[in-house]
Amino acid sequence: MRVSLSERWTALTERLDGVGDWLAPLGLRLILAWEFWEAGIEKFRGENWFSGIQSDFPFPFDRVPADLSWTMATWAELIGAVALALGLGTRFFAFSLLVLTAVATASVHWPMDWMGVQELAKGYAITDKGFGNFKLPLLFALMLLPLVFKGAGKFSLDAAIASRYGSGERRPVQDALAWGLAALVLGLPLALLMPTLGLTLAIVGLLLIALDRLLLA
């Protein structure tokens, strides 16, 4: 019996999916854990320089004392790095680090002024030539998002805990509540960089969540 090309491709992708559930999130977790650990250790061993950029922090972080902001950022990076490496509380810590990355981008890497997308795109760089340099934090943010949405994967403490104490295999759901949560996950950090777009997404998310609650009432 001949096997068609589509059947061979399906068989291949099914096996890649199976292994990918173990390996794909692990790679993201380990590289992000290393990067945030290095950043946290550098702060832990260094001098507090947040006072010089306190006014550049987005609201409400610009209201927090510089010493407290430094301590919070340091331990968020250190604890978050360990949590990502172990795959423990992955969604929570990935989202926390996503917000931290957005704050760092807004206060250090984002261009001071930009008129249009073309000018903003000049800041997608490693070296700041007057247009910002948000390439690395943007890449980190895009690497954190799969961990927020998909979790730590099977090679993690989260998976081990869920297997032992969970109520069974979870199935993906794509209802109004799901899309509302997604809009909040994207909108809240984005609001620190592009307030109008980010707040619009967050409001849409809240409306979708409210709609879901009304439909279930």
Side-chain angles (χ1 to χ4, degrees):
M1 179 177 178
R2 295 185 60 185
V3 179
S4 67
L5 181 60
S6 63
E7 289 174 328
R8 290 182 183 276
W9 176 251
T10 299
L12 174 64
T13 54
E14 285 176 343
R15 283 156 179 80
L16 290 175
D17 287 342
V19 176
D21 289 340
W22 291 82
L23 297 183
L26 178 62
L28 290 176
R29 283 167 35 214
L30 292 181
I31 189 62
L32 287 167
W34 174 260
E35 292 293 337
F36 282 107
W37 177 263
E38 280 199 322
I41 282 294
E42 186 176 348
K43 289 184 178 66
F44 184 77
R45 296 172 177 171
E47 297 292 329
N48 184 350
W49 45 267
F50 277 9
S51 57
I53 61 170
Q54 186 71 15
S55 61
D56 296 328
F57 285 163
F59 179 83
F61 299 96
D62 58 344
R63 303 290 189 263
V64 180
D67 288 341
L68 180 57
S69 292
W70 182 264
T71 301
M72 291 171 59
T74 299
W75 288 105
E77 289 173 337
L78 292 176
I79 296 174
V82 174
L84 290 185
L86 298 175
L88 180 63
T90 305
R91 295 178 194 267
F92 170 80
F93 285 106
F95 183 73
S96 299
L97 291 171
L98 180 63
V99 173
L100 180 67
T101 300
V103 174
T105 303
S107 56
V108 179
H109 305 283
W110 203 241
M112 296 298 294
D113 294 298
W114 53 280
M115 302 295 292
V117 175
Q118 184 175 2
E119 188 173 346
L120 177 63
K122 296 179 181 179
Y124 184 71
I126 301 297
T127 302
D128 191 341
K129 296 182 179 180
F131 302 103
N133 59 337
F134 57 84
K135 184 173 186 176
L136 277 180
L138 176 60
L139 293 176
F140 289 162
L142 294 176
M143 292 163 69
L144 286 165
L145 282 174
L147 299 179
V148 176
F149 285 116
K150 294 291 289 182
K154 293 187 176 181
F155 194 31
S156 66
L157 289 180
D158 285 342
I161 293 171
S163 176
R164 183 172 180 83
Y165 300 105
S167 57
E169 186 174 353
R170 292 174 294 185
R171 59 182 180 85
V173 178
Q174 298 178 25
D175 55 8
L177 177 57
W179 286 106
L181 290 172
L184 284 177
V185 167
L186 296 172
L188 292 176
L190 186 59
L192 301 173
L193 301 170
M194 305 172 73
T196 301
L197 178 58
L199 290 175
T200 299
L201 267 177
I203 291 171
V204 169
L206 292 174
L207 291 175
L208 287 172
I209 292 172
L211 176 62
D212 183 83
R213 296 298 91 187
L214 289 173
L215 291 176
L216 291 178

